[in-house]
Amino acid sequence: MKYFTVSAHKGDYTVFFDTGFTFFNSIKQKKGIWIVDRAVSRLYEELFDDIDPNDIIFVDVSEELKTLEGATMLYRQLEKKKMKRHTPLISVGGGITQDITGFVAATWYRGVPWFYVPTTLLAQADSCIGSKTSLNFDSFKNLLGTFYSPQEVFISTKFLDSLDPKDVYSGFGEIIKLQLIKAQEHGDFQTVTDKLNMGKQADGLLQLIYDSLLVKKEYIEEDEFDFGKRKLLNYGHCFGHALESVSAFTIPHGLAVVIGVLFANIIALKRKKISQEFFETLITEVLLPHIHMDVLEMQESFYGADALFQKMKKDKKRSGDGMALVLPKKDFKLELVQDISMEELQYGCRELEKVLL
Amino acid sequence: MKYFTVSAHKGDYTVFFDTGFTFFNSIKQKKGIWIVDRAVSRLYEELFDDIDPNDIIFVDVSEELKTLEGATMLYRQLEKKKMKRHTPLISVGGGITQDITGFVAATWYRGVPWFYVPTTLLAQADSCIGSKTSLNFDSFKNLLGTFYSPQEVFISTKFLDSLDPKDVYSGFGEIIKLQLIKAQEHGDFQTVTDKLNMGKQADGLLQLIYDSLLVKKEYIEEDEFDFGKRKLLNYGHCFGHALESVSAFTIPHGLAVVIGVLFANIIALKRKKISQEFFETLITEVLLPHIHMDVLEMQESFYGADALFQKMKKDKKRSGDGMALVLPKKDFKLELVQDISMEELQYGCRELEKVLL
């Protein structure tokens, strides 16, 4: 089985890659308490058949699950199970299941070991590494959390067979972002599009996930706590988060990120950081083919600059008076700027509408 | 100003020692949000006079504060203050204020810097170092938490002038435990009693606090996450925690710890790990002079072995079938055992009553 190891402050952890489910046997040896997305358990019943029902907690996944109330519900269930200090948690599901399990593992008994089996493309190709655990608080997404990495991550593309196209596109959004970040080194569009095409073949997807996580690995190992280099992984996220939020999360995360990358490039073009030619190649060859408007219920109102401005002002990355944005400059190189003005945001929203609607 | 530095996974931090309040000026330069025990703010009004009221949160301290509900109340207040990611928290108060501030600092924006000014002897001589943050959950004390150290700790014995005698005795409880742990190296009672007597002189207390924290520092630096050596710091705690809990927290923590040390020695004597002579010198010269029964509302019922058994079974340190206890063996040396039986607990409770009531 293919694998690599990620360094983290709590200890290194290994990510395993497979196209099947044989690794489930080794996870069952860990004698942990399972926290499993109920929808996944229904689609893959045979994986959970022989686990003692007393050792599984099935969760109904929604943004409400990753809150202090959701954590409290899980703490109570763990309490009833008289879980001991060294009993690990085993998480099976997408990013929300990962976030809530990670937070509970980080805080229960001041930290218990945990293992993670991501079941969506978004979680497999991006969120499963990086140590972040997150809870929403009031209207703020991911306002609370910790850095607390799992002991091991097990990725199987077999889970992706049952994925909704919308969630496949969403996963590709983060993959595109990671491949564009990688392009800072090799500097050409061809490599980016070749990689993305490889992932569209059934037997190329596992390799694309592996390659995309390798890009992220370099950034999180150098800056686990998100004070410097890691911020560049937020390419597309500053605007993307605001857009998701204004759309009441009807726009899936990865798609919001691709639209955010487009927005960042609109601003970069306006600031003359990138050429018109670069901009056009990027949107026609990389971005637009992956912005599947048909699965989105896009509305003009999502681009209302006022509402977006309110959200972007609350961005955690922001430290100055302007809004924060990861911007491309030259030859795919990226930088974090802190001085995006309201006027630029309004301009960017108008241009976005022209490209997308 | 005297100081030392503690190594921790999140970065080293410095502990400063003083008999006055001049360090408050440097804390005020940090432009943080203050979380201050309201009772402390009333006793030392002049310290907080020139801080913008918008930058202070006063808290009413009780065990209910260090819960998810208490954390939610603080998160909401921080949200209103539009606190940014790099704004530090500054905590002033005893262990409860430390625990809740530490937890909030660890989880807000996945971790913001924090500074701590302990105002009780218990917090100054013991809890202020070690990275632990804690919340109570349902009926379980410190069930939730993280390891998240402050950036700096400022200790001033001037705060102790206003302390209730009960809280002074409680602080001495942890100091005794730390000095008995230190005795594993030097191996004699005289050094322990000399240190404790030094602390009873006004000008010797700061030095005793310093010396006691130095003992703890060695253990937490070697085993920050509490998997091995650090467990010995729980000398007196396995039984002490259960006793505190059964007394509905009318017995202050440090006093429960001294009684717990006594209990551990009763069991060690019964198991012939220590001599009758060692046992008698320990209780007459070190323990009994510091168990101030007059400030306690001790009741025979606290020693009911059944209720204590229920609590000790829930001890986080426990990993086997028996109950966990840090036991002395020979020449002050300590070890963690996992096989304390119900019969031994009953025997220990009967002997405790004989010594104390």
Side-chain angles (χ1 to χ4, degrees), chain B residues 236-283:
Chain B
H237 279 67
C238 312
F239 184 83
H241 275 154
L243 186 63
E244 263 186 287
S245 180
V246 170
S247 83
F249 300 96
T250 58
I251 302 181
H253 178 69
L255 278 169
V257 168
V258 184
I259 297 173
V261 168
L262 175 54
F263 179 87
N265 279 275
I266 288 171
I267 302 296
L269 180 65
K270 169 83 171 154
R271 286 189 175 197
K272 298 194 171 45
K273 295 278 189 178
I274 55 169
S275 68
Q276 182 74 31
E277 188 201 344
F278 180 96
F279 179 75
E280 281 173 13
T281 312
L282 177 76
I283 66 171

Side-chain angles (χ1 to χ4, degrees), chain A residues 200-352:
Chain A
K200 283 170 196 155
Q201 319 299 321
D203 57 353
L205 186 54
L206 191 69
Q207 186 64 45
L208 178 61
I209 294 171
Y210 182 93
D211 291 348
S212 299
L213 285 181
L214 271 190
V215 178
K216 181 168 178 179
K217 170 175 145 71
E218 189 192 322
Y219 283 77
I220 59 179
E221 285 186 331
E222 218 175 281
D223 176 29
E224 185 177 4
F225 299 120
D226 209 1
F227 288 119
K229 186 175 179 177
R230 183 170 181 166
K231 287 188 197 297
L232 296 187
L233 292 178
N234 278 287
Y235 189 25
H237 280 67
C238 312
F239 184 83
H241 275 156
L243 186 62
E244 264 186 285
S245 180
V246 171
S247 83
F249 300 97
T250 57
I251 302 181
H253 178 71
L255 278 170
V257 168
V258 184
I259 297 173
V261 167
L262 174 54
F263 179 86
N265 279 275
I266 288 171
I267 302 297
L269 179 65
K270 170 83 171 154
R271 286 190 175 196
K272 299 193 170 47
K273 296 277 188 180
I274 56 171
S275 67
Q276 182 73 33
E277 187 200 348
F278 180 95
F279 179 76
E280 281 173 11
T281 312
L282 177 76
I283 66 171
T284 54
E285 293 190 13
V286 181
L287 302 182
L288 285 183
H290 292 95
I291 302 179
H292 297 263
M293 299 298 288
D294 51 318
V295 301
L296 299 177
E297 296 160 38
M298 293 295 268
Q299 298 165 20
E300 261 177 76
S301 62
F302 294 164
Y303 306 114
D306 281 348
L308 290 166
F309 176 72
Q310 290 307 321
K311 295 290 175 189
M312 287 181 78
K313 273 209 315 192
K314 285 170 181 156
D315 190 318
K316 287 201 286 289
K317 265 86 213 161
R318 197 175 150 255
S319 63
D321 280 337
M323 284 163 289
L325 206 62
V326 175
L327 275 193
K329 29 186 196 178
K330 201 172 171 288
D331 303 331
F332 293 96
K333 294 284 187 299
L334 298 170
E335 64 181 337
L336 176 67
V337 302
Q338 301 277 2
D339 61 348
I340 301 295
S341 68
M342 181 63 187
E343 288 67 36
E344 282 176 297
L345 179 59
Q346 285 169 329
Y347 170 83
C349 289
R350 283 195 307 272
E351 291 300 303
L352 253 190

